[in-house]
Amino acid sequence: DAGVIQSPRHEVTEMGQEVTLRCKPISGHNSLFWYRQTMMRGLELLIYFNNNVPIDDSGMPEDRFSAKMPNASFSTLKIQPSEPRDSAVYFCASSWTGTGKSEAFFGQGTRLTVV
Amino acid sequence: LAKTTQPISMDSYEGQEVNITCSHNNIATNDYITWYQQFPSQGPRFIIQGYKTKVTNEVASLFIPADRKSSTLSLPRVSLSDTAVYYCLVGDMRVTGGGNKLTFGTGTQLKVEL
């Protein structure tokens, strides 16, 4: 398996534009996580899905952020409209969570810059 | 979720053993302890996971005392390439356990020098 695949790797956009980040989890995994990482706030969990259903989106900062998982092999994180303070590295991770033990696999991240 | 406390930073030299301790006083019965490593510009990477006593793999050892209120990640003979941030997580990764949130704390920045 190629691991968790995120696209694009880098995104530069102007304030007010819509941004869509994409993630392909590892085949067979049933949980998917979206994180945002900045120097100031560290690694923040935004939302996670289990079996394609959003379980907890309490970390989503504002209504400008939305996430979907239409099927087990694809998820998107959308920011509309984007703002400079959204600049960060966004990570997607997937795991199999059927027992107490679990290992999450992270993608390479998308570095978003909003100017 | 059990809150974790770990040192913000640690310094070491190549060839030394490094022990990073994490406190998790309110760990629940079903919680597992998991450690991740993160290099700059990369996503976190799983290192080791355990429930009690000692777990060892090709990368590290994890020591968990009987009361499970703390854990120690042990890295034998570190090298420059072990310079990274190390995160301790505690939770029940089962679907219904709530620990599914996989929440990271501030981590420990380990710096290894020559």
Side-chain angles (χ1 to χ4, degrees):
Chain A
D1 199 314
V4 176
I5 300 173
Q6 292 186 244
S7 64
R9 291 293 308 277
H10 302 274
E11 176 81 29
V12 179
T13 190
E14 292 185 347
M15 182 174 60
Q17 296 298 307
E18 177 180 293
V19 175
T20 299
L21 311 181
R22 297 172 175 80
C23 175
K24 182 181 187 311
I26 291 175
S27 176
H29 282 182
N30 63 352
S31 288
L32 183 139
F33 308 82
W34 280 102
Y35 291 87
R36 176 174 69 177
Q37 187 169 37
T38 60
M39 287 294 293
M40 290 295 295
R41 301 177 69 89
L43 199 56
E44 301 175 277
L45 177 64
L46 301 178
I47 185 172
Y48 77 92
F49 296 83
N50 185 261
N51 293 324
N52 312 337
V53 176
I55 303 300
D56 189 332
D57 64 355
S58 60
M60 296 286 260
E62 300 171 32
D63 291 343
R64 299 184 295 106
F65 286 69
S66 63
K68 293 182 179 180
M69 192 165 186
N71 56 62
S73 59
F74 184 67
S75 177
T76 60
L77 177 68
K78 185 178 294 186
I79 308 172
Q80 167 61 22
S82 58
E83 297 182 4
R85 59 193 169 123
D86 301 330
S87 297
V89 179
Y90 290 81
F91 289 105
C92 174
S94 71
S95 70
W96 164 254
T97 52
T99 64
K101 296 183 68 174
S102 182
E103 174 182 349
F105 294 82
F106 283 74
Q108 290 288 74
T110 295
R111 181 174 295 277
L112 173 65
T113 303
V114 183
V115 298
Chain B
L1 292 176
K3 180 184 166 88
T4 60
T5 302
Q6 51 184 124
I8 294 176
S9 63
M10 294 183 69
D11 294 328
S12 184
Y13 294 96
E14 276 202 317
Q16 290 190 331
E17 177 184 80
V18 171
N19 296 308
I20 306 174
T21 297
C22 179
S23 297
H24 28 80
N25 291 319
N26 59 338
I27 188 169
T29 301
N30 295 326
D31 286 347
Y32 280 77
I33 300 159
T34 310
W35 286 80
Y36 284 80
Q37 173 192 56
Q38 185 178 26
F39 297 114
S41 302
Q42 295 186 25
R45 182 175 71 103
F46 175 94
I47 301 176
I48 196 166
Q49 187 176 72
Y51 183 80
K52 62 181 179 181
T53 62
K54 176 184 175 183
V55 179
T56 297
N57 61 23
E58 65 278 5
V59 177
S61 293
L62 178 59
F63 299 91
I64 305 169
D67 65 6
R68 305 201 325 124
K69 293 184 182 299
S70 67
S71 60
T72 298
L73 174 72
S74 181
L75 304 173
R77 300 181 61 79
V78 295
S79 64
L80 293 175
S81 62
D82 292 316
T83 294
V85 178
Y86 292 82
Y87 296 95
C88 165
L89 283 75
V90 174
D92 181 353
M93 295 305 292
R94 294 176 298 180
V95 173
T96 57
N100 211 6
K101 292 184 73 169
L102 198 61
T103 302
F104 287 76
T106 54
T108 298
Q109 173 67 64
L110 172 65
K111 182 179 179 182
V112 180
E113 299 175 293
L114 287 172

